[in-house]
Amino acid sequence: MGNVTFLGVEGSGKTVLTMALVNAFKAHEAEGWYLRPETRGAFRFLSQVPENVSGNSLPHQTTSLRQLQWSVVYQDEVQRTLDILDYPGEVYRLAFLDAKDDPDPDGFRERVAANQEEISALLGHLIDSDQVFVLFNLADAEDVAGNGANLDAVWVTNACLDYLHRLPSHPQITLLLTQIDRYVDLGMGEFDPQAYVAHYLPLLAKNFPSLDVLAVSAVGEAH
C-alpha cells in the first residue's frame, strides 16, 4: 500500500481516523512495528497525537493542506509507504462540485481560483493513490431531505465517487461510515453497513451498487 487518501466533507473524521491509525501502530511497537516519519508534517503529527483518542481530545478542524508520509517499518525493515494527505473539507467540495451546484456560482468560482493549488494537490494525490477511503459521517445521513448541509454532503460524496470510478489508475475505493460508536452505544446491536447505505443513502447505493462499505469508529468501544 503506497498512497492512501482519506476523503470527506468537514467533520467526516479524516484527521481523527488518521490519529487512530497512528495509535494502532504505536500499540504494536513492542512487536516490532512502527511508523518512521518522512516529512516534517508527519513528525509533528506523530508527536502530537494523544495516546487515547476520545471526545475530549478530538483535533480542531483542519485549516490547511498537509502531507503526512511515513514508512511502515517492521523489525527494522521498511514494508511499505503510507502517504496521507490531510486537507480542509472545503477543498473537497471545491474539487468535486460544479459552480452550477452552488447557490452563489460566481462566489464558488472565486473560491476555486483562490484554492487552486490545494485542489490540484488533492486531485494529483488521487491519481497516484492505491487506496481511497471516502469517509461519511453517519450523522450526515439523518434528515437529508430537511437538512441542506446533509443534502450537500450526500451530493458531493456522490460526485466524488463518480470521479474516482473514472480514474484511469483504478484505485481501490471504500466508503467508510464513521462514528459507528454513536449507534453501538445506543444499543442498536448488529450494524449492517450495506443495508444502512441502501436505506439511508439510496443515491449512492443505486449509482455504485458494488461499492465496498465499512463502518468504523476512531473512539469508543467499536472499531
Side-chain angles (χ1 to χ4, degrees), residues 165-190:
H165 278 88
R166 289 187 284 107
L167 282 176
S169 55
H170 302 295
Q172 184 177 346
I173 305 166
T174 302
L175 179 67
L176 287 186
L177 302 177
T178 60
Q179 294 196 14
I180 183 62
D181 52 282
R182 295 175 62 240
Y183 293 81
V184 173
D185 291 344
L186 289 174
M188 288 184 63
E190 191 69 23

PDB file of all heavy atoms in Angstrom, residues 165-190:
ATOM      1  N   HIS A 165     -14.305   6.576  -9.735  1.00  0.00           N
ATOM      2  CA  HIS A 165     -14.554   5.419 -10.584  1.00  0.00           C
ATOM      3  C   HIS A 165     -14.131   5.658 -12.031  1.00  0.00           C
ATOM      4  O   HIS A 165     -13.994   4.700 -12.796  1.00  0.00           O
ATOM      5  CB  HIS A 165     -16.036   5.032 -10.529  1.00  0.00           C
ATOM      6  CG  HIS A 165     -16.400   4.208  -9.338  1.00  0.00           C
ATOM      7  ND1 HIS A 165     -16.771   4.755  -8.123  1.00  0.00           N
ATOM      8  CD2 HIS A 165     -16.416   2.860  -9.147  1.00  0.00           C
ATOM      9  CE1 HIS A 165     -17.028   3.787  -7.259  1.00  0.00           C
ATOM     10  NE2 HIS A 165     -16.813   2.632  -7.852  1.00  0.00           N
ATOM     11  N   ARG A 166     -13.929   6.923 -12.389  1.00  0.00           N
ATOM     12  CA  ARG A 166     -13.495   7.231 -13.750  1.00  0.00           C
ATOM     13  C   ARG A 166     -11.987   7.424 -13.866  1.00  0.00           C
ATOM     14  O   ARG A 166     -11.480   7.654 -14.962  1.00  0.00           O
ATOM     15  CB  ARG A 166     -14.224   8.484 -14.249  1.00  0.00           C
ATOM     16  CG  ARG A 166     -15.713   8.242 -14.525  1.00  0.00           C
ATOM     17  CD  ARG A 166     -16.409   9.419 -15.165  1.00  0.00           C
ATOM     18  NE  ARG A 166     -16.669  10.487 -14.218  1.00  0.00           N
ATOM     19  CZ  ARG A 166     -16.017  11.643 -14.190  1.00  0.00           C
ATOM     20  NH1 ARG A 166     -15.040  11.877 -15.057  1.00  0.00           N
ATOM     21  NH2 ARG A 166     -16.316  12.573 -13.304  1.00  0.00           N
ATOM     22  N   LEU A 167     -11.262   7.316 -12.763  1.00  0.00           N
ATOM     23  CA  LEU A 167      -9.812   7.475 -12.813  1.00  0.00           C
ATOM     24  C   LEU A 167      -9.165   6.306 -13.557  1.00  0.00           C
ATOM     25  O   LEU A 167      -9.475   5.146 -13.278  1.00  0.00           O
ATOM     26  CB  LEU A 167      -9.231   7.542 -11.393  1.00  0.00           C
ATOM     27  CG  LEU A 167      -9.373   8.860 -10.635  1.00  0.00           C
ATOM     28  CD1 LEU A 167      -8.817   8.709  -9.217  1.00  0.00           C
ATOM     29  CD2 LEU A 167      -8.647   9.990 -11.359  1.00  0.00           C
ATOM     30  N   PRO A 168      -8.250   6.592 -14.477  1.00  0.00           N
ATOM     31  CA  PRO A 168      -7.584   5.507 -15.213  1.00  0.00           C
ATOM     32  C   PRO A 168      -6.695   4.638 -14.324  1.00  0.00           C
ATOM     33  O   PRO A 168      -6.386   3.497 -14.678  1.00  0.00           O
ATOM     34  CB  PRO A 168      -6.757   6.250 -16.268  1.00  0.00           C
ATOM     35  CG  PRO A 168      -6.572   7.630 -15.721  1.00  0.00           C
ATOM     36  CD  PRO A 168      -7.814   7.923 -14.945  1.00  0.00           C
ATOM     37  N   SER A 169      -6.279   5.171 -13.175  1.00  0.00           N
ATOM     38  CA  SER A 169      -5.410   4.405 -12.279  1.00  0.00           C
ATOM     39  C   SER A 169      -6.163   3.338 -11.487  1.00  0.00           C
ATOM     40  O   SER A 169      -5.548   2.452 -10.882  1.00  0.00           O
ATOM     41  CB  SER A 169      -4.704   5.356 -11.301  1.00  0.00           C
ATOM     42  OG  SER A 169      -5.647   6.154 -10.601  1.00  0.00           O
ATOM     43  N   HIS A 170      -7.515   3.434 -11.452  1.00  0.00           N
ATOM     44  CA  HIS A 170      -8.375   2.451 -10.784  1.00  0.00           C
ATOM     45  C   HIS A 170      -7.943   2.157  -9.337  1.00  0.00           C
ATOM     46  O   HIS A 170      -7.614   1.012  -8.993  1.00  0.00           O
ATOM     47  CB  HIS A 170      -8.416   1.139 -11.576  1.00  0.00           C
ATOM     48  CG  HIS A 170      -8.893   1.291 -12.976  1.00  0.00           C
ATOM     49  ND1 HIS A 170     -10.174   1.694 -13.286  1.00  0.00           N
ATOM     50  CD2 HIS A 170      -8.249   1.110 -14.162  1.00  0.00           C
ATOM     51  CE1 HIS A 170     -10.316   1.753 -14.593  1.00  0.00           C
ATOM     52  NE2 HIS A 170      -9.163   1.414 -15.156  1.00  0.00           N
ATOM     53  N   PRO A 171      -7.940   3.156  -8.465  1.00  0.00           N
ATOM     54  CA  PRO A 171      -7.600   2.875  -7.063  1.00  0.00           C
ATOM     55  C   PRO A 171      -8.689   2.033  -6.406  1.00  0.00           C
ATOM     56  O   PRO A 171      -9.836   2.015  -6.866  1.00  0.00           O
ATOM     57  CB  PRO A 171      -7.542   4.276  -6.440  1.00  0.00           C
ATOM     58  CG  PRO A 171      -8.495   5.089  -7.271  1.00  0.00           C
ATOM     59  CD  PRO A 171      -8.326   4.572  -8.679  1.00  0.00           C
ATOM     60  N   GLN A 172      -8.323   1.332  -5.351  1.00  0.00           N
ATOM     61  CA  GLN A 172      -9.325   0.601  -4.580  1.00  0.00           C
ATOM     62  C   GLN A 172     -10.123   1.620  -3.774  1.00  0.00           C
ATOM     63  O   GLN A 172      -9.551   2.456  -3.070  1.00  0.00           O
ATOM     64  CB  GLN A 172      -8.653  -0.406  -3.650  1.00  0.00           C
ATOM     65  CG  GLN A 172      -9.641  -1.281  -2.887  1.00  0.00           C
ATOM     66  CD  GLN A 172      -8.956  -2.324  -2.031  1.00  0.00           C
ATOM     67  OE1 GLN A 172      -7.756  -2.566  -2.194  1.00  0.00           O
ATOM     68  NE2 GLN A 172      -9.693  -2.940  -1.132  1.00  0.00           N
ATOM     69  N   ILE A 173     -11.445   1.551  -3.854  1.00  0.00           N
ATOM     70  CA  ILE A 173     -12.316   2.557  -3.236  1.00  0.00           C
ATOM     71  C   ILE A 173     -13.168   1.903  -2.157  1.00  0.00           C
ATOM     72  O   ILE A 173     -13.800   0.867  -2.382  1.00  0.00           O
ATOM     73  CB  ILE A 173     -13.229   3.215  -4.282  1.00  0.00           C
ATOM     74  CG1 ILE A 173     -12.405   3.802  -5.441  1.00  0.00           C
ATOM     75  CG2 ILE A 173     -14.091   4.298  -3.641  1.00  0.00           C
ATOM     76  CD1 ILE A 173     -13.238   4.156  -6.649  1.00  0.00           C
ATOM     77  N   THR A 174     -13.188   2.518  -0.979  1.00  0.00           N
ATOM     78  CA  THR A 174     -14.011   2.038   0.130  1.00  0.00           C
ATOM     79  C   THR A 174     -14.760   3.202   0.754  1.00  0.00           C
ATOM     80  O   THR A 174     -14.168   4.242   1.043  1.00  0.00           O
ATOM     81  CB  THR A 174     -13.152   1.360   1.209  1.00  0.00           C
ATOM     82  OG1 THR A 174     -12.417   0.279   0.640  1.00  0.00           O
ATOM     83  CG2 THR A 174     -14.015   0.837   2.350  1.00  0.00           C
ATOM     84  N   LEU A 175     -16.056   3.040   0.933  1.00  0.00           N
ATOM     85  CA  LEU A 175     -16.851   4.031   1.652  1.00  0.00           C
ATOM     86  C   LEU A 175     -16.817   3.683   3.134  1.00  0.00           C
ATOM     87  O   LEU A 175     -17.194   2.571   3.531  1.00  0.00           O
ATOM     88  CB  LEU A 175     -18.296   4.034   1.155  1.00  0.00           C
ATOM     89  CG  LEU A 175     -19.249   5.017   1.849  1.00  0.00           C
ATOM     90  CD1 LEU A 175     -18.863   6.462   1.523  1.00  0.00           C
ATOM     91  CD2 LEU A 175     -20.699   4.766   1.440  1.00  0.00           C
ATOM     92  N   LEU A 176     -16.320   4.611   3.954  1.00  0.00           N
ATOM     93  CA  LEU A 176     -16.236   4.391   5.398  1.00  0.00           C
ATOM     94  C   LEU A 176     -17.336   5.184   6.105  1.00  0.00           C
ATOM     95  O   LEU A 176     -17.350   6.417   6.046  1.00  0.00           O
ATOM     96  CB  LEU A 176     -14.873   4.837   5.932  1.00  0.00           C
ATOM     97  CG  LEU A 176     -13.647   3.987   5.633  1.00  0.00           C
ATOM     98  CD1 LEU A 176     -12.442   4.542   6.396  1.00  0.00           C
ATOM     99  CD2 LEU A 176     -13.873   2.540   5.982  1.00  0.00           C
ATOM    100  N   LEU A 177     -18.232   4.489   6.760  1.00  0.00           N
ATOM    101  CA  LEU A 177     -19.239   5.142   7.591  1.00  0.00           C
ATOM    102  C   LEU A 177     -18.617   5.360   8.961  1.00  0.00           C
ATOM    103  O   LEU A 177     -18.262   4.404   9.652  1.00  0.00           O
ATOM    104  CB  LEU A 177     -20.488   4.262   7.699  1.00  0.00           C
ATOM    105  CG  LEU A 177     -21.166   3.879   6.374  1.00  0.00           C
ATOM    106  CD1 LEU A 177     -22.338   2.943   6.625  1.00  0.00           C
ATOM    107  CD2 LEU A 177     -21.614   5.116   5.613  1.00  0.00           C
ATOM    108  N   THR A 178     -18.450   6.612   9.356  1.00  0.00           N
ATOM    109  CA  THR A 178     -17.722   6.925  10.583  1.00  0.00           C
ATOM    110  C   THR A 178     -18.671   7.211  11.745  1.00  0.00           C
ATOM    111  O   THR A 178     -19.860   7.429  11.567  1.00  0.00           O
ATOM    112  CB  THR A 178     -16.795   8.135  10.370  1.00  0.00           C
ATOM    113  OG1 THR A 178     -17.572   9.276   9.989  1.00  0.00           O
ATOM    114  CG2 THR A 178     -15.785   7.846   9.262  1.00  0.00           C
ATOM    115  N   GLN A 179     -18.084   7.206  12.942  1.00  0.00           N
ATOM    116  CA  GLN A 179     -18.790   7.423  14.211  1.00  0.00           C
ATOM    117  C   GLN A 179     -19.811   6.326  14.489  1.00  0.00           C
ATOM    118  O   GLN A 179     -20.880   6.572  15.054  1.00  0.00           O
ATOM    119  CB  GLN A 179     -19.455   8.807  14.251  1.00  0.00           C
ATOM    120  CG  GLN A 179     -18.458   9.959  14.256  1.00  0.00           C
ATOM    121  CD  GLN A 179     -19.074  11.270  14.686  1.00  0.00           C
ATOM    122  OE1 GLN A 179     -20.183  11.323  15.233  1.00  0.00           O
ATOM    123  NE2 GLN A 179     -18.362  12.350  14.455  1.00  0.00           N
ATOM    124  N   ILE A 180     -19.484   5.100  14.116  1.00  0.00           N
ATOM    125  CA  ILE A 180     -20.374   3.980  14.372  1.00  0.00           C
ATOM    126  C   ILE A 180     -20.575   3.771  15.876  1.00  0.00           C
ATOM    127  O   ILE A 180     -21.587   3.206  16.311  1.00  0.00           O
ATOM    128  CB  ILE A 180     -19.830   2.700  13.704  1.00  0.00           C
ATOM    129  CG1 ILE A 180     -20.786   1.517  13.889  1.00  0.00           C
ATOM    130  CG2 ILE A 180     -18.452   2.359  14.213  1.00  0.00           C
ATOM    131  CD1 ILE A 180     -22.134   1.724  13.261  1.00  0.00           C
ATOM    132  N   ASP A 181     -19.622   4.263  16.694  1.00  0.00           N
ATOM    133  CA  ASP A 181     -19.756   4.103  18.152  1.00  0.00           C
ATOM    134  C   ASP A 181     -21.017   4.764  18.687  1.00  0.00           C
ATOM    135  O   ASP A 181     -21.588   4.322  19.683  1.00  0.00           O
ATOM    136  CB  ASP A 181     -18.528   4.686  18.852  1.00  0.00           C
ATOM    137  CG  ASP A 181     -18.237   6.108  18.422  1.00  0.00           C
ATOM    138  OD1 ASP A 181     -17.683   6.291  17.318  1.00  0.00           O
ATOM    139  OD2 ASP A 181     -18.561   7.046  19.171  1.00  0.00           O
ATOM    140  N   ARG A 182     -21.478   5.834  18.016  1.00  0.00           N
ATOM    141  CA  ARG A 182     -22.709   6.517  18.444  1.00  0.00           C
ATOM    142  C   ARG A 182     -23.891   5.556  18.401  1.00  0.00           C
ATOM    143  O   ARG A 182     -24.786   5.587  19.242  1.00  0.00           O
ATOM    144  CB  ARG A 182     -22.998   7.706  17.538  1.00  0.00           C
ATOM    145  CG  ARG A 182     -21.977   8.815  17.612  1.00  0.00           C
ATOM    146  CD  ARG A 182     -22.260   9.914  16.599  1.00  0.00           C
ATOM    147  NE  ARG A 182     -23.539  10.552  16.858  1.00  0.00           N
ATOM    148  CZ  ARG A 182     -24.542  10.571  15.985  1.00  0.00           C
ATOM    149  NH1 ARG A 182     -24.436   9.963  14.828  1.00  0.00           N
ATOM    150  NH2 ARG A 182     -25.666  11.192  16.277  1.00  0.00           N
ATOM    151  N   TYR A 183     -23.897   4.669  17.415  1.00  0.00           N
ATOM    152  CA  TYR A 183     -25.020   3.769  17.225  1.00  0.00           C
ATOM    153  C   TYR A 183     -24.879   2.506  18.056  1.00  0.00           C
ATOM    154  O   TYR A 183     -25.862   2.000  18.605  1.00  0.00           O
ATOM    155  CB  TYR A 183     -25.158   3.430  15.735  1.00  0.00           C
ATOM    156  CG  TYR A 183     -25.574   4.652  14.943  1.00  0.00           C
ATOM    157  CD1 TYR A 183     -24.638   5.599  14.561  1.00  0.00           C
ATOM    158  CD2 TYR A 183     -26.914   4.876  14.633  1.00  0.00           C
ATOM    159  CE1 TYR A 183     -25.017   6.740  13.868  1.00  0.00           C
ATOM    160  CE2 TYR A 183     -27.295   6.008  13.940  1.00  0.00           C
ATOM    161  CZ  TYR A 183     -26.343   6.940  13.564  1.00  0.00           C
ATOM    162  OH  TYR A 183     -26.723   8.078  12.896  1.00  0.00           O
ATOM    163  N   VAL A 184     -23.665   1.991  18.171  1.00  0.00           N
ATOM    164  CA  VAL A 184     -23.440   0.818  19.011  1.00  0.00           C
ATOM    165  C   VAL A 184     -23.743   1.159  20.462  1.00  0.00           C
ATOM    166  O   VAL A 184     -24.380   0.391  21.181  1.00  0.00           O
ATOM    167  CB  VAL A 184     -21.990   0.316  18.860  1.00  0.00           C
ATOM    168  CG1 VAL A 184     -21.710  -0.801  19.861  1.00  0.00           C
ATOM    169  CG2 VAL A 184     -21.756  -0.188  17.444  1.00  0.00           C
ATOM    170  N   ASP A 185     -23.303   2.353  20.898  1.00  0.00           N
ATOM    171  CA  ASP A 185     -23.533   2.764  22.281  1.00  0.00           C
ATOM    172  C   ASP A 185     -25.018   2.932  22.579  1.00  0.00           C
ATOM    173  O   ASP A 185     -25.453   2.830  23.723  1.00  0.00           O
ATOM    174  CB  ASP A 185     -22.794   4.069  22.578  1.00  0.00           C
ATOM    175  CG  ASP A 185     -21.282   3.883  22.605  1.00  0.00           C
ATOM    176  OD1 ASP A 185     -20.856   2.721  22.699  1.00  0.00           O
ATOM    177  OD2 ASP A 185     -20.549   4.884  22.516  1.00  0.00           O
ATOM    178  N   LEU A 186     -25.808   3.206  21.539  1.00  0.00           N
ATOM    179  CA  LEU A 186     -27.244   3.374  21.734  1.00  0.00           C
ATOM    180  C   LEU A 186     -27.984   2.032  21.734  1.00  0.00           C
ATOM    181  O   LEU A 186     -29.201   1.986  21.823  1.00  0.00           O
ATOM    182  CB  LEU A 186     -27.829   4.271  20.636  1.00  0.00           C
ATOM    183  CG  LEU A 186     -27.452   5.753  20.725  1.00  0.00           C
ATOM    184  CD1 LEU A 186     -27.972   6.500  19.498  1.00  0.00           C
ATOM    185  CD2 LEU A 186     -28.038   6.369  21.986  1.00  0.00           C
ATOM    186  N   GLY A 187     -27.232   0.953  21.630  1.00  0.00           N
ATOM    187  CA  GLY A 187     -27.833  -0.366  21.709  1.00  0.00           C
ATOM    188  C   GLY A 187     -28.515  -0.829  20.442  1.00  0.00           C
ATOM    189  O   GLY A 187     -29.472  -1.608  20.494  1.00  0.00           O
ATOM    190  N   MET A 188     -28.023  -0.365  19.277  1.00  0.00           N
ATOM    191  CA  MET A 188     -28.654  -0.779  18.022  1.00  0.00           C
ATOM    192  C   MET A 188     -28.273  -2.199  17.630  1.00  0.00           C
ATOM    193  O   MET A 188     -28.813  -2.753  16.689  1.00  0.00           O
ATOM    194  CB  MET A 188     -28.261   0.186  16.892  1.00  0.00           C
ATOM    195  CG  MET A 188     -28.911   1.547  16.993  1.00  0.00           C
ATOM    196  SD  MET A 188     -28.503   2.604  15.589  1.00  0.00           S
ATOM    197  CE  MET A 188     -29.227   1.703  14.227  1.00  0.00           C
ATOM    198  N   GLY A 189     -27.335  -2.778  18.351  1.00  0.00           N
ATOM    199  CA  GLY A 189     -26.955  -4.149  18.061  1.00  0.00           C
ATOM    200  C   GLY A 189     -26.131  -4.263  16.796  1.00  0.00           C
ATOM    201  O   GLY A 189     -25.334  -3.393  16.474  1.00  0.00           O
ATOM    202  N   GLU A 190     -26.340  -5.355  16.078  1.00  0.00           N
ATOM    203  CA  GLU A 190     -25.581  -5.615  14.863  1.00  0.00           C
ATOM    204  C   GLU A 190     -25.851  -4.537  13.817  1.00  0.00           C
ATOM    205  O   GLU A 190     -27.002  -4.216  13.515  1.00  0.00           O
ATOM    206  CB  GLU A 190     -25.950  -6.993  14.297  1.00  0.00           C
ATOM    207  CG  GLU A 190     -25.037  -7.480  13.187  1.00  0.00           C
ATOM    208  CD  GLU A 190     -23.644  -7.820  13.681  1.00  0.00           C
ATOM    209  OE1 GLU A 190     -23.497  -8.109  14.888  1.00  0.00           O
ATOM    210  OE2 GLU A 190     -22.709  -7.782  12.861  1.00  0.00           O
TER     211      GLU A 190
END
